[in-house]
Amino acid sequence: MEQPQHILGTGSLPAAPPDADLIRRYTDNGWSTSSLVYLSIGENWQGPPPGLVRALHKAVPSYAHGYTLSPYGLPLLRQVLQDYIVRSHRLRTLSCGETGVAVSQAGTRAAMHDFARLLRRRPRPPDTVLVPAPGWDYSGVAAPLGYHVVPYLLRGDGQPDPEVLRAQLMRHPRALLVINPQHNPTGVEWDTSVVRQTLQAAVATEAAVLLDDAYYAVVHPGHTPTNALALLAAETRDTDMPWLAVRTLGKQFNCNGWGIGALTARPSLLAELAEIVQERTFGTGMPLQAAMAAWLTDPASDAYVTDLQHLCAENRRHVTARLHTDLGYPAEGVQSGTCTSYLRYRVPPSWAAGGSTRPYRQRAADAGVVVGEGTMIPTPGGVGTWVRLHLVQHLQTLDLAIDRLGKAGLAWSGTVGG
């Protein structure tokens, strides 16, 4: 992995991320991080596509180094993004005034926070957010704003149960509902019918909706992804319920640090979001936005996404096979999925005592592999202890990780201390 001083700092300040302790365990044992395999989060520090780098050097107009007076991002990128969303989500048009697109300029986490904050300012604000479990760290966004975080459990097939979710929404009317159809961390894509029924339940209970479309483009090659944005726009067309779709571009172009994505919503809601954003900042990263605008109109950007899809699919198949054949995992012990850049698997029974992944993750880190938590949302009901692997890596790196896990006694039949 990248040298820790480049991405973690020196450790002289508090509040380091949780993985920092695992990385320091490895270096405290005398090893260099250059040999550490880091598979915890969706990052590999290998750099963005060459075409995007060239655009940053050659396609940035002089005005992009100054302020923009538009609260919706660089106008050039906003227009390109609108065309891109229409095309990639197979929408007829966004010019009818019902839906608009703005630039997410400081990461989608910040955009989610702004949306949740906006809702809290409205008359009869929601006090509950319903989030998928397992799931991403939505509670870390919403709880500090005063929301009561209520998980909705996914079924064994990785899908939400629309009827169970409808009952939860009826117990918490006017809640904020989060949906994540290309689901992180399971890699399971939610069925179109499930998403439609879920959205219909949201409309019936006057819930607000946050659509997390981070991995919309990261699906099996040739597969048409579940188009939750089109469903959301259709199901809410005759309502005034608030909704926001966020789609990061960092995941599909390996440029997470740029913090650029698309925000899709009604124009009136985008205007409210712009007011909140401007309370804390003017537009940021205009040269990056100009480069992204040029890159999205380059046919090479579509080719890059296709290559990423093939890489994830091939690595997913390979790692799944090795977990079964080399580490002895049963079929139900691996959740390989068909989308996102992650694969999830169970912690072996002997390492899962107490329902914590910590002993397993510490042992793996000592062996030179940092794996991620299988959920960032506490999952009630004792549905198992899981970890996840990030698949956007060289195949040799993933093979090295599997070899190290096996040698460290972390196969399915491994024993603590073995």
Side-chain angles (χ1 to χ4, degrees), residues 291-343:
M292 184 61 73
W295 171 242
L296 286 175
T297 59
D298 185 340
S301 65
D302 287 337
Y304 183 88
V305 171
T306 299
D307 289 343
L308 175 66
Q309 293 172 346
H310 281 281
L311 175 69
C312 287
E314 292 165 7
N315 286 356
R316 191 184 307 277
R317 285 191 292 267
H318 183 81
V319 171
T320 298
R322 289 213 59 192
L323 286 170
H324 290 317
T325 59
D326 296 341
L327 298 189
Y329 273 76
E332 66 274 12
V334 182
Q335 195 168 36
S336 58
T338 60
C339 61
T340 80
S341 57
Y342 302 108
L343 176 148

Side-chain angles (χ1 to χ4, degrees), residues 149-215:
V149 180
V150 177
Y152 60 89
L153 287 177
L154 304 182
R155 300 181 309 212
D157 61 358
Q159 305 278 336
D161 187 320
E163 291 307 312
V164 172
L165 187 49
R166 180 184 291 271
Q168 285 185 277
L169 284 165
M170 292 180 67
R171 289 195 297 271
H172 303 281
R174 299 184 61 82
L176 169 58
L177 171 66
V178 178
I179 62 173
N180 178 211
Q182 286 76 36
H183 184 252
N184 171 15
T186 65
V188 173
E189 184 166 43
W190 297 356
D191 294 338
T192 295
S193 61
V194 168
V195 174
R196 180 181 289 109
Q197 292 175 64
T198 297
L199 292 174
Q200 290 171 347
V203 170
T205 55
E206 299 184 280
V209 174
L210 172 62
L211 166 58
D212 181 1
D213 250 349
Y215 291 95

